[in-house]
């Protein structure tokens, strides 16, 4: 069962897989938005860098994690674990990508790839902690 009624507030709680897929979909929407911005700004000589792409995709993808965070305890431990996981996965993928493809290091594309993969993994860890906290 991926959705269940929340006892007190009447809100629907989604399962970890739904949160990960919605995060990925929202990241793709953020990247599409960045693509539109790049197409508009390109004639004026500005192209977005990888940090801008990572920031915009994260801003778009933050909604499912924010809803889950506001759902209730265990907030601190879940948020710390999710941020630690996001950072670890992002750094590992960035280092691997830049080692395997040195050209990517010039444009920080390894950082972007790591951040794009790390965000859904962090949301999955956040959802796992919340589901574990609600079962106990």
């Amino acid at each position: 069962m991926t959705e269940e009624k929340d006892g007190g507030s009447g809100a629907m709680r989604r399962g970890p897989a739904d949160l990960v897929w919605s995060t990925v979909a929202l990241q793709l929407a953020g990247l599409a938005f960045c693509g539109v911005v790049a197409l508009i700004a390109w004639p004026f000589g500005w192209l977005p860098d990888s940090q801008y792409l990572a920031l915009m995709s994260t801003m778009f993808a933050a909604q499912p994690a924010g809803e889950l965070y506001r759902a209730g305890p265990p907030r601190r431990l879940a948020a710390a674990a999710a941020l630690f996981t996001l950072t670890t996965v992002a750094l590992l993928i960035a280092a691997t990508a830049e080692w395997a493809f040195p050209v990517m290091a010039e444009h920080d594309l390894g950082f972007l790839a790591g951040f794009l993969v790390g965000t859904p993994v962090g949301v999955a860890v956040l959802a796992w902690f919340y589901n574990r906290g609600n079962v106990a």
Side-chain angles (χ1 to χ4, degrees), residues 20-111:
V20 170
W21 286 116
S22 61
T23 300
V24 169
L26 288 171
Q27 275 186 327
L28 292 174
L31 290 174
F33 174 78
C34 289
V36 170
V37 168
L39 286 175
I40 293 171
W42 174 59
F44 302 107
W46 181 79
L47 289 175
D49 58 352
S50 62
Q51 288 85 8
Y52 173 77
L53 295 173
L55 176 69
M56 290 306 294
S57 66
T58 303
M59 286 175 57
F60 273 79
Q63 189 228 359
E67 287 177 1
L68 185 62
Y69 184 79
R70 286 188 295 271
R75 290 184 180 179
R76 289 186 186 122
L77 180 61
L83 289 174
F84 178 74
T85 303
L86 166 66
T87 304
T88 304
V89 169
L91 289 175
L92 286 174
I93 290 178
T96 303
E98 290 180 2
W99 171 77
F101 305 104
V103 176
M104 292 177 74
E106 291 179 24
H107 304 288
D108 290 331
L109 294 178
F111 165 77

